[in-house]
Amino acid sequence: MEIDLSKLDIKKAHEHLVNGDFTAVELAEKCLENIKEKNEEINAYLEIYDDVLEQAKKADERIKNKDNVTELTGIPIALKDNILNEGRTVSAGSKILENYKGTYDATIVKKLKDAGVVLIGRTNMDEFAMGASTENSAFGITKNPHDITRVPGGSSGGSAAVVAMDGALGSLGSDTGGSVRQPASFCGAFGFKSTYGTVSRHGLIAMGSSLDQIGPIGKSVSDIEILFDVIKGYDKMDSTSLPDVTEKKKKNDKLTIGIPRHFMKEGIDEDVLENFNQSVEKLKSLGHEVKDIELPNIKYSLAVYYVIMPAEASSNLSRFDGVKYGLRKDGEDLLGDYLETREVGFGAEVKRRVILGTHVLSSGYYDAYYNKANIVRGLIKSDFDKAFDPSADGVDVIITPTSPTPAFKIGEKKDPLSMYLSDIFTTPANVTGIPALSVPSGVVQRDGKDLPVGLQIMANHGREDIIFSIGKDFSN
Ligand code: GLN
């Protein structure tokens, strides 16, 4: 059978593989062909692994022998460049780790390998996952496959672009403030950040440890579910990992949807708002109840995020000192070595955040910034708790646009603050730890091009089942 990657998702490809319509080797070859044709321009992959076809052969054996075949056996998947893969380069988009090789498999990589995926390669990203456009990579900008003059979003821009350019059927990214959901929305894909603690962070190069979650990008809600089911689960190697709970499965009934309209007044593109209103109408026509809700402190999420995240990132990045990992530059003395290594190894955005983070943690400012941000974080959480509270007539899900704008032009956001504002709708889910999915909700037009935009669906902690249920309802 002729393979058309643009018409396949993981679920369909799995059926074809087990039916013998094509082999995992043929599927991988098709991906490689596509990558060869497109990656030079898009720059979504930083590296294609040299054993792709061997991995695919092993998957074919497994399928032939009906040996523990999973829905992911033989499926081509891409990994963000900050997730450890043993013996392979993992650079976090940074010069400081340019030649660093993973010393072990991240828990999720081990799980994916056990499931029999074919890992195609590692994808480009903003350096240390700091950014919303993939322009901050030390290894060149990734372009949006829908319009190559525009960014794919970030920081998992490479992971979203490989799905959009049919260079893999799914990918993994990391989401600290929106880095899976926003690029998914810019590239017309589905992107998911689950409840904090459901997916192990062991082997993820840390950015903001109380916010980071690894999450899947794919072409349908069922693919997101397939990937999430494999990567989730308690892991003793991650001290914030949640215990496994018996799964709730949402029956497909009608839900109550909350909209914080008061939070969508400023800085949101008119076409994006129009698209969002159409999504609301669609959800109503599907029989769901929609109501306005108030989240009085949600407006502080971005500010809270941009205090807590740099604080945690500056601590996490202190290990890159030229001694323990990666690049080493010699200075005049030990301190000189540190300074020289970090000066040469880190890009401008990383330095900005290390300085910001060090400042908010410094003794004179700790209470004024870091402590205060944590207090406000608690207030935002309690707003969401109330909004979801079933005993207070709470809602099942809360929706917003994923991003206030469609994909912007490469080079357009020169001022870091304007870039940070891209995260306005995505950061609340990280600050509160709740799950959130971005589903494609149509396109808006710019310069004669159709640019994808996304609808973000959030639910209470542990209720990914509700998100998947309504996500499917909306996308079918
Ligand atoms: N754009 C956000 C930032 O720059 C999100 C990053 C992320 O989720 N890794 O911090």
Side-chain angles (χ1 to χ4, degrees):
M1 161 183 176
E2 183 64 30
I3 301 176
D4 180 352
L5 287 170
S6 69
K7 298 213 165 67
L8 284 179
D9 64 4
I10 294 175
K11 215 176 163 125
K12 287 186 200 129
H14 168 70
E15 280 159 22
H16 288 304
L17 285 168
V18 293
N19 286 340
D21 299 332
F22 51 72
T23 64
V25 168
E26 286 163 342
L27 184 59
E29 277 171 343
K30 194 77 197 177
C31 274
L32 294 176
E33 225 173 84
N34 230 337
I35 294 164
K36 203 162 180 195
E37 195 187 311
K38 297 178 183 158
N39 196 53
E40 204 173 326
E41 180 159 70
I42 305 286
N43 194 34
Y45 277 108
L46 291 177
E47 178 187 355
I48 303 298
Y49 298 139
D50 55 11
D51 65 345
V52 170
L53 295 180
E54 277 144 57
Q55 294 180 57
K57 260 182 222 150
K58 280 194 194 137
D60 279 331
E61 284 291 302
R62 221 163 130 165
I63 294 168
K64 200 175 94 202
N65 300 331
K66 298 201 165 54
D67 169 20
N68 188 18
V69 177
T70 75
E71 282 177 298
L72 288 180
T73 308
I75 301 294
I77 298 289
L79 275 185
K80 187 173 179 177
D81 188 30
N82 59 353
I83 304 175
L84 298 202
N85 187 0
E86 189 177 347
R88 299 268 174 203
T89 303
V90 186
S91 77
S94 181
K95 265 201 234 148
I96 214 160
L97 288 176
E98 190 168 7
N99 300 312
Y100 173 73
K101 293 212 175 352
T103 48
Y104 59 92
D105 277 339
T107 299
I108 71 120
V109 169
K110 189 172 177 313
K111 288 182 171 196
L112 290 170
K113 286 181 178 172
D114 289 348
V117 303
V118 175
L119 290 174
I120 301 284
R122 65 186 164 97
T123 60
N124 201 12
M125 57 182 281
D126 286 301
E127 186 176 6
F128 285 104
M130 297 175 184
S133 67
T134 317
E135 292 167 294
N136 295 337
S137 168
F139 306 107
I141 296 167
T142 296
K143 295 176 182 161
N144 190 318
H146 294 269
D147 175 353
I148 56 165
T149 66
R150 292 177 187 269
V151 304
S155 63
S156 314
S159 287
V162 297
V163 172
M165 73 180 205
D166 296 321
L169 288 180
S171 63
L172 278 307
S174 63
D175 191 312
T176 305
S179 278
V180 163
R181 291 161 284 154
Q182 183 254 23
S185 81
F186 280 15
C187 291
F190 293 77
F192 184 53
K193 182 202 86 76
S194 55
T195 304
Y196 181 80
T198 49
V199 175
S200 169
R201 293 181 295 111
H202 179 59
L204 169 69
I205 297 178
M207 179 185 174
S209 303
S210 76
L211 305 155
D212 296 340
Q213 275 292 277
I214 293 172
I217 297 176
K219 297 208 269 186
S220 61
V221 178
S222 44
D223 282 8
I224 294 289
E225 220 176 339
I226 290 171
L227 284 164
F228 175 61
D229 280 344
V230 169
I231 61 174
K232 73 179 181 189
Y234 173 73
D235 180 15
K236 67 174 189 314
M237 300 304 286
D238 173 355
S239 62
T240 58
S241 181
L242 288 176
D244 291 326
V245 285
T246 32
E247 224 175 300
K248 305 174 196 71
K249 277 271 180 214
K250 187 72 195 160
K251 14 179 216 342
N252 211 4
D253 55 6
K254 300 308 166 201
L255 301 173
T256 311
I257 301 169
I259 306 180
R261 282 274 174 201
H262 63 94
F263 189 45
M264 285 175 215
K265 297 242 147 65
E266 264 170 82
I268 173 165
D269 179 280
E270 267 179 38
D271 294 340
V272 169
L273 192 56
E274 172 60 31
N275 175 275
F276 177 76
N277 290 335
Q278 285 164 9
S279 301
V280 174
E281 288 312 312
K282 180 169 179 186
L283 287 163
K284 279 190 196 159
S285 72
L286 291 166
H288 301 291
E289 189 198 330
V290 175
K291 65 179 191 189
D292 281 356
I293 55 162
E294 294 283 323
L295 296 165
N297 297 291
I298 192 175
K299 57 179 181 285
Y300 302 121
S301 301
L302 193 72
V304 163
Y305 172 80
Y306 274 97
V307 172
I308 292 177
M309 172 274 301
E312 294 181 2
S314 71
S315 311
N316 279 324
L317 266 54
S318 65
R319 72 192 69 173
F320 302 106
D321 56 8
V323 179
K324 303 183 199 76
Y325 300 90
L327 183 81
R328 177 191 174 85
K329 289 276 169 205
D330 287 324
E332 298 215 322
D333 49 18
L334 183 62
L335 183 63
D337 293 353
Y338 294 164
L339 294 175
E340 194 55 27
T341 302
R342 290 165 73 86
E343 167 61 26
V344 176
F346 287 149
E349 184 60 30
V350 174
K351 287 177 187 157
R352 183 176 297 117
R353 296 197 193 194
V354 168
I355 293 168
L356 250 171
T358 311
H359 179 73
V360 301
L361 289 176
S362 61
S363 63
Y365 294 96
Y366 189 94
D367 283 339
Y369 294 113
Y370 184 71
N371 261 352
K372 202 180 214 167
N374 267 321
I375 292 165
V376 180
R377 185 180 195 174
L379 295 176
I380 301 167
K381 269 190 191 149
S382 63
D383 284 354
F384 274 87
D385 287 346
K386 273 186 216 139
F388 288 127
D389 184 359
S391 65
D393 207 13
V395 296
D396 297 298
V397 292
I398 296 173
I399 57 170
T400 66
T402 305
S403 162
T405 66
F408 42 88
K409 290 259 184 196
I410 292 169
E412 183 183 321
K413 297 211 189 277
K414 292 195 176 59
D415 163 22
L417 265 185
S418 73
M419 185 77 83
Y420 298 169
L421 285 168
S422 298
D423 309 325
I424 182 112
F425 295 128
T426 46
T427 46
N430 302 85
V431 166
T432 57
I434 61 173
L437 173 71
S438 177
V439 296
S441 60
V443 292
V444 302
Q445 294 225 316
R446 288 289 183 282
D447 314 327
K449 293 240 162 72
D450 283 340
L451 301 181
V453 290
L455 172 75
Q456 175 175 241
I457 307 170
M458 297 174 271
N460 207 353
H461 293 94
R463 296 314 304 261
E464 359 300 276
D465 60 323
I466 304 184
I467 292 185
F468 294 148
S469 154
I470 191 167
K472 282 180 192 162
D473 204 17
F474 179 76
S475 325
N476 283 339

XYZ file of all heavy atoms in Angstrom, residues 80 82 92 125-132 155 174-179 201 204-213 305-306 308-320 349-350 353 420 423 430:
379
model
N 12.020 15.889 21.838
C 12.587 17.223 22.041
C 14.018 17.083 22.568
O 14.323 16.144 23.313
C 11.720 17.988 23.044
C 12.091 19.450 23.233
C 11.067 20.166 24.131
C 11.423 21.627 24.373
N 10.428 22.337 25.174
N 15.629 18.106 24.863
C 15.960 18.213 26.292
C 15.532 16.964 27.070
O 15.420 17.006 28.290
C 15.328 19.467 26.917
C 13.810 19.488 26.798
O 13.200 18.642 26.135
N 13.195 20.476 27.426
N 19.614 20.507 24.642
C 18.675 21.530 25.131
C 18.777 22.816 24.303
O 18.558 23.910 24.812
C 18.892 21.821 26.624
N 14.619 23.444 19.618
C 13.879 24.090 20.717
C 14.570 25.382 21.118
O 15.746 25.586 20.839
C 13.865 23.149 21.928
C 15.262 22.750 22.406
S 15.241 21.597 23.791
C 14.911 22.725 25.147
N 13.825 26.255 21.795
C 14.461 27.417 22.404
C 15.449 26.920 23.454
O 15.177 25.945 24.158
C 13.409 28.290 23.095
C 12.562 29.081 22.112
O 13.145 29.862 21.339
O 11.335 28.905 22.112
N 16.555 27.606 23.550
C 17.604 27.181 24.482
C 17.045 26.973 25.895
O 16.392 27.858 26.455
C 18.718 28.244 24.508
C 19.906 27.810 25.338
C 21.067 28.811 25.291
O 20.923 29.905 24.706
O 22.127 28.492 25.858
N 17.288 25.800 26.449
C 16.781 25.415 27.778
C 15.279 25.651 27.920
O 14.782 25.913 29.013
C 17.570 26.108 28.895
C 18.921 25.480 29.088
C 20.069 26.103 28.611
C 19.046 24.235 29.703
C 21.319 25.502 28.745
C 20.291 23.638 29.845
C 21.421 24.266 29.359
N 14.573 25.578 26.800
C 13.101 25.701 26.765
C 12.615 27.102 27.132
O 11.484 27.283 27.571
C 12.435 24.635 27.639
N 13.500 28.093 26.950
C 13.131 29.462 27.293
C 12.769 30.234 26.038
O 13.645 30.735 25.327
C 14.294 30.146 28.007
C 14.632 29.462 29.320
S 16.070 30.191 30.065
C 16.285 29.125 31.482
N 11.459 30.308 25.786
C 11.020 31.050 24.618
C 9.683 30.566 24.130
O 9.154 29.559 24.602
N 9.140 31.298 23.169
C 7.822 30.960 22.624
C 7.871 30.965 21.104
O 6.851 31.119 20.439
C 6.782 31.952 23.141
N 8.500 26.602 23.427
C 9.844 26.241 23.039
C 9.936 24.919 22.279
O 10.964 24.639 21.656
C 10.721 26.144 24.287
O 10.254 25.101 25.143
N 8.244 19.525 26.077
C 8.107 19.809 27.505
C 7.374 21.122 27.637
O 7.498 22.014 26.789
C 9.476 19.880 28.179
O 10.217 20.949 27.636
N 6.566 21.213 28.686
C 5.679 22.363 28.854
C 5.858 22.920 30.255
O 5.469 22.305 31.243
C 4.237 21.896 28.614
C 3.236 23.031 28.499
O 3.266 23.925 29.358
O 2.413 23.018 27.560
N 6.479 24.089 30.344
C 6.726 24.748 31.625
C 5.775 25.930 31.784
O 5.353 26.259 32.880
C 8.196 25.231 31.680
O 9.036 24.103 31.415
C 8.558 25.829 33.029
N 5.474 26.542 30.615
C 4.549 27.680 30.620
C 3.700 27.690 29.366
O 3.099 28.707 29.027
N 3.709 26.573 28.652
C 2.906 26.505 27.419
C 3.641 25.917 26.241
O 3.127 25.857 25.117
N 4.861 25.466 26.471
C 5.746 25.079 25.377
C 5.344 23.856 24.569
O 5.957 23.596 23.537
C 7.156 24.853 25.902
O 7.804 26.089 26.015
N 9.498 13.413 35.382
C 10.465 14.390 34.864
C 11.887 13.840 34.904
O 12.832 14.556 34.555
C 10.397 15.678 35.695
C 9.104 16.446 35.549
C 9.089 17.722 36.376
N 9.130 17.462 37.799
C 10.173 17.746 38.583
N 11.247 18.333 38.097
N 10.135 17.458 39.866
N 14.467 14.655 32.157
C 14.142 15.893 31.432
C 15.105 16.954 31.946
O 15.231 17.126 33.166
C 12.696 16.327 31.727
C 12.314 17.735 31.242
C 12.269 17.793 29.710
C 10.958 18.154 31.820
N 15.794 17.647 31.062
C 16.691 18.713 31.520
C 15.820 19.814 32.122
O 14.977 20.388 31.434
C 17.583 19.225 30.367
C 18.484 18.072 29.887
C 18.407 20.432 30.820
C 19.384 18.411 28.722
N 16.001 20.057 33.418
C 15.052 20.876 34.174
C 15.121 22.342 33.787
O 16.191 22.908 33.566
C 15.329 20.719 35.663
N 13.951 22.969 33.745
C 13.865 24.420 33.585
C 13.276 24.977 34.878
O 14.007 25.373 35.775
C 12.995 24.755 32.381
C 12.820 26.230 32.141
S 11.655 26.498 30.793
C 11.485 28.258 30.823
N 11.955 24.924 35.028
C 11.313 25.324 36.277
C 10.674 24.083 36.885
O 9.604 23.661 36.459
N 11.334 23.513 37.888
C 10.955 22.161 38.327
C 9.542 22.038 38.873
O 8.958 20.965 38.805
C 11.943 21.666 39.377
O 13.249 21.711 38.841
N 8.979 23.111 39.403
C 7.613 22.980 39.939
C 6.573 23.206 38.844
O 5.368 23.173 39.109
C 7.387 23.967 41.084
O 7.205 25.282 40.588
N 7.049 23.441 37.626
C 6.138 23.747 36.512
C 6.282 22.765 35.344
O 5.334 22.546 34.584
C 6.434 25.158 35.982
C 6.394 26.304 36.994
C 7.264 27.467 36.530
C 4.970 26.781 37.198
N 7.474 22.186 35.193
C 7.790 21.350 34.015
C 6.940 20.085 33.933
O 6.807 19.366 34.916
C 9.245 20.843 34.086
C 10.314 21.927 34.039
O 10.023 23.041 33.595
O 11.471 21.627 34.438
N 6.419 19.801 32.769
C 5.849 18.485 32.471
C 6.180 18.136 31.026
O 6.094 18.998 30.144
C 4.318 18.475 32.611
C 3.809 18.246 34.023
C 4.084 16.851 34.571
O 3.360 15.917 34.317
N 5.151 16.718 35.356
N 4.349 33.460 37.039
C 5.194 32.540 36.269
C 6.576 33.151 36.013
O 7.596 32.478 36.175
C 4.495 32.207 34.944
C 5.359 31.422 33.979
C 5.517 30.046 34.139
C 6.032 32.047 32.931
C 6.325 29.314 33.273
C 6.836 31.333 32.067
C 6.982 29.966 32.239
O 7.783 29.253 31.386
N 6.605 34.424 35.624
C 7.896 35.037 35.276
C 8.707 35.472 36.502
O 9.734 36.126 36.371
C 7.718 36.164 34.237
C 7.718 35.562 32.834
C 6.526 35.282 32.163
C 8.912 35.189 32.216
C 6.531 34.680 30.907
C 8.930 34.591 30.964
C 7.739 34.339 30.317
O 7.746 33.735 29.081
N 8.578 32.865 39.376
C 8.914 31.519 39.854
C 9.798 30.766 38.852
O 10.778 30.121 39.230
C 7.617 30.729 40.156
C 6.926 31.376 41.365
C 7.909 29.246 40.417
C 5.602 30.776 41.746
N 9.426 30.849 37.569
C 10.198 30.112 36.565
C 11.673 30.539 36.524
O 12.561 29.686 36.626
C 9.519 30.236 35.191
C 10.285 29.691 34.024
S 11.405 30.912 33.368
C 10.275 32.219 32.932
N 11.986 31.865 36.422
C 13.420 32.213 36.406
C 14.131 31.852 37.712
O 15.307 31.484 37.691
C 13.452 33.726 36.170
C 12.060 34.194 36.113
C 11.139 33.039 36.165
N 13.393 31.942 38.848
C 14.016 31.566 40.126
C 14.455 30.101 40.061
O 15.610 29.762 40.373
C 13.029 31.774 41.276
N 13.543 29.247 39.639
C 13.870 27.816 39.577
C 14.893 27.533 38.481
O 15.801 26.715 38.659
C 12.590 27.000 39.355
C 11.647 27.106 40.549
C 10.349 26.305 40.402
O 10.173 25.620 39.378
O 9.520 26.374 41.319
N 14.759 28.223 37.358
C 15.690 27.981 36.244
C 17.101 28.421 36.628
O 18.080 27.736 36.314
C 15.217 28.715 34.992
N 17.210 29.541 37.339
C 18.559 30.009 37.687
C 19.237 29.001 38.620
O 20.440 28.767 38.518
C 18.521 31.414 38.300
O 17.961 31.387 39.592
N 18.445 28.384 39.509
C 19.030 27.345 40.375
C 19.386 26.111 39.552
O 20.483 25.561 39.679
C 18.050 26.921 41.468
O 17.514 28.033 42.102
N 18.462 25.671 38.711
C 18.721 24.470 37.910
C 19.931 24.634 36.989
O 20.677 23.692 36.751
C 17.492 24.123 37.063
C 16.440 23.366 37.858
O 16.773 22.549 38.730
N 15.174 23.610 37.578
N 20.104 25.833 36.463
C 21.184 26.031 35.498
C 22.541 26.277 36.155
O 23.557 26.383 35.465
C 20.831 27.168 34.527
C 20.169 26.708 33.214
C 18.935 25.854 33.451
C 19.832 27.872 32.323
N 22.549 26.350 37.487
C 23.843 26.588 38.147
C 24.787 25.397 37.959
O 25.992 25.521 38.111
C 23.642 26.889 39.631
O 23.121 25.748 40.275
N 24.225 24.237 37.615
C 25.087 23.057 37.416
C 25.928 23.157 36.141
O 26.873 22.403 35.971
C 24.235 21.792 37.391
C 23.413 21.633 36.148
C 22.375 20.539 36.259
N 21.310 20.912 37.196
C 20.209 20.206 37.387
N 20.020 19.092 36.739
N 19.285 20.612 38.220
N 25.573 24.069 35.254
C 26.360 24.189 34.020
C 27.482 25.187 34.253
O 27.355 26.377 34.005
C 25.452 24.597 32.852
C 24.342 23.612 32.654
C 23.041 23.915 33.021
C 24.617 22.343 32.150
C 22.027 22.973 32.887
C 23.613 21.398 32.008
C 22.313 21.715 32.380
N 18.841 35.035 26.080
C 17.614 34.841 26.859
C 17.901 34.049 28.139
O 17.342 34.338 29.197
C 16.548 34.141 26.005
C 15.188 33.971 26.676
C 14.532 35.296 27.090
O 14.759 36.328 26.440
O 13.780 35.273 28.099
N 18.771 33.067 28.035
C 19.126 32.274 29.211
C 19.801 33.166 30.246
O 19.473 33.128 31.437
C 20.029 31.080 28.814
C 20.519 30.342 30.049
C 19.264 30.124 27.899
N 17.321 35.320 32.069
C 16.519 34.639 33.099
C 17.361 34.237 34.310
O 16.868 34.239 35.434
C 15.814 33.432 32.489
C 14.826 33.896 31.425
C 13.828 32.852 31.063
N 13.133 33.239 29.847
C 12.028 32.669 29.411
N 11.491 31.682 30.085
N 11.466 33.078 28.287
N 6.912 37.323 26.063
C 6.353 36.697 27.274
C 4.819 36.733 27.257
O 4.170 35.840 27.798
C 6.864 37.392 28.553
C 8.373 37.335 28.766
C 8.987 38.099 29.752
C 9.189 36.508 27.988
C 10.371 38.056 29.963
C 10.568 36.464 28.189
C 11.158 37.245 29.172
O 12.506 37.205 29.364
N 2.376 33.888 26.404
C 2.088 32.793 27.342
C 0.907 33.096 28.257
O 0.658 32.371 29.203
C 3.324 32.519 28.217
C 4.585 32.340 27.398
O 4.492 31.784 26.294
O 5.661 32.756 27.864
N 0.132 25.747 34.283
C 1.403 25.351 34.904
C 1.479 25.832 36.342
O 1.937 25.117 37.230
C 2.589 25.907 34.109
C 2.581 25.440 32.670
O 1.922 26.055 31.834
N 3.268 24.354 32.379
